Amino acid sequence: MKITLLRTDSMQGRHLSVRSFENLMERIKTGTKEGDVERFRNRLYYYGYDSDDAQRLPVVCPAVNMRLDANGNAVMKEFNGIVTLSVNDLRDDSDVERVKRIAAIMPTTMAAFKGSSGHSVKILVRVCRTDGSLPQTEEEAERFMRAAERVAARSYEGLGLVVNRREKRQTEQTEVSPLMRGFRITHDEMAYFEAKPAFFRIDTNEVEALIPAPMSADDNAAEAAPISDKPTAVGKETRQLLQFMDCRYEFRFNTVMGYTEYRPKGRYTLSWMPVDERVKNRMAIDIRSAGLDIWDKDINRYVMSDKIPEYNPVMEYLWKVRGTWDGKDHIGNLARTVPTDNPHWQKWFRTWFLAMVAQWLGKNRRYGNAVAPLLISRQGYNKSTFCKLLIPRELQWGYNDNLVLSERKSVLQAMSQFLLINLDEFNAISPNLQEGFLKNLIQLASVKVKRPYGKHVEEFPRLASFIATANMSDILSDPSGNRRFIGIELTGPIDISHRIDHPQLFAQAQEMIERDEPYWFDAEQTSLIMQSNERFRRQSPTEMFFYEYFEIAADEKSGTYMSAAAIFNVLREHCGSALKVNSVRGFGRLLSQISQLQSKRTSQGVAYLVRQK
């Protein structure tokens, strides 16, 4: 099979050369001797498009074998029946390879390779009539190619590719013959090539009929008969809606946030955005402006259906960095940027960080990450900045430092949608909230909440872990022992001058979890945390009065068992109305929560081993 290369020189003279298709593919894989393609790509990157640079690259017209007539015009000598499709505006080589892999899935793909700009993929597809024949005259070939381009493009768009949009606009402006459409010579060492692809069978009377069939030994005579594949079960309006949406937008359902996101098709540099009511209304206007009889409910039904592929941004990030750890202790280096006299800090931070990642991975099914570091210092020590920097830029949407604990429904919903919650200004949280709602909240493995406009309560896995900051040291209020927080007093500002290597940080965490390194605190570590937290415990006035007049006895030789009522009466005698306790029962509950205070049950109730000062 012979194909044509056309080149226009600086004097606008046209030069035509003919070569075999196999020879063309070999040239694409090896590149030109002059290196014109690489030079063109470099200049395009640094200086932008230049027509003079582009003209140095000949245009390949794979559809036809041409010759020059007496007037120097290119005319058809033989029609090859090869359609050139183009997928443009690709970001980088990874996108180029992805498109080539998708194109290779189709048995009708003859070749797929990187375009001359380096940001497109050219897909060559061999077509024929339903009887296996090809047009013989130039006029018939042009008409056939127009139909074939539409049909082939539509089929490849069904794979999620954005095909031929730029070429169509250029065609409308310059009216280039479809036989002359092709591509400038390019270079791609990894070009895909199939010498005997399947034919696309094109019914020019009804271009919707499209059946690829295996290619026969004779290139111009395929034996498979056309098969009708018209959709009949789906309504016309639904097909129009699906086609319009697929051509204009990309959709994905964010399983973390619980809504559908979109971006214009092929615009890889744009961020994904939620499909809210305003967006759906604009889509409806655009669709009806295009003359389609589609309404708001049809759009809403589509974007909220399971036809939209699911997407988990957290798992995608972790999967991308998984297995790339360089062996260095990035977690330990991060912990060392926090100056403190606590000898256990680095080990505790490591365990907590692994627990946070394990929470994202869904490994804490029974218990959530029930411990939170609490960074304590005066203002200006970079505590809040350090907390925010723990989350990589790609996942910054998952950081929250303004949670209002009094709004309990919002708090529960945040537990399933955010990754790290910073309880900033922890000292402002009341003791009752600390000992009640927050203490229960931090150990949850899942949350039950009703979505906005939802009809029933649903259970969602918890994602969020907690961290906290405070400007005061006496802030932990649970008298029974504060094991939910790791109080760390800073001896200086946190060093935030070095950039955190987040990919390595989270690659190491996943490696450690897969090696079964503990991401939970055992009984020994929990006891050490509770002992360390004693210096940060906030005593209530009643507890202060207790320690003013009593001591905790180690044994009966050094103390006496007294009931809560007896101790209460002693304090009332000394303190009077300053003792703010409503009842003996409430006072007894306070005594029972003092962890080191021994007690025993007697015939008169519970007695506590104390020594009166």
Side-chain angles (χ1 to χ4, degrees), residues 475-488:
I475 50 176
L476 297 176
S477 60
D478 191 348
S480 64
N482 294 279
R483 62 192 185 99
R484 299 301 183 201
F485 295 92
I486 304 174
I488 300 296

Side-chain angles (χ1 to χ4, degrees), residues 17-41:
S17 62
V18 177
R19 64 180 61 210
S20 70
F21 193 86
E22 290 75 11
N23 181 268
L24 170 70
M25 292 306 301
E26 186 63 26
R27 183 177 178 182
I28 288 175
K29 289 183 178 181
T30 58
T32 61
K33 294 180 180 179
E34 300 80 10
D36 289 341
V37 176
E38 296 304 325
R39 184 162 51 250
F40 171 69
R41 287 174 181 170

Side-chain angles (χ1 to χ4, degrees), residues 495-509:
D495 182 7
I496 58 173
S497 60
H498 300 287
R499 185 182 67 86
I500 299 176
D501 191 342
H502 288 104
Q504 284 299 309
L505 193 68
F506 289 96
Q508 179 188 356

Side-chain angles (χ1 to χ4, degrees), residues 194-205:
E194 171 57 54
K196 291 186 177 182
F199 270 120
F200 257 127
R201 308 250 180 186
I202 308 298
D203 183 350
T204 54
N205 295 319

Side-chain angles (χ1 to χ4, degrees), residues 1 9 36 67 91 95 259 279-280 282 299 304 318 387 409 458 510 588:
M1 182 194 306
D9 61 26
D36 289 341
R67 62 179 177 82
R91 286 178 300 181
D95 276 346
Y259 53 61
V279 170
K280 286 187 282 189
R282 175 175 53 76
I299 297 173
M304 293 306 296
L318 293 179
C387 295
K409 181 179 178 181
E458 301 175 68
Q510 291 184 87

Side-chain angles (χ1 to χ4, degrees), residues 206 209-211 225-232:
E206 190 175 1
L210 169 63
I211 301 299
I227 304 172
S228 176
D229 191 30
K230 287 186 179 181
T232 57

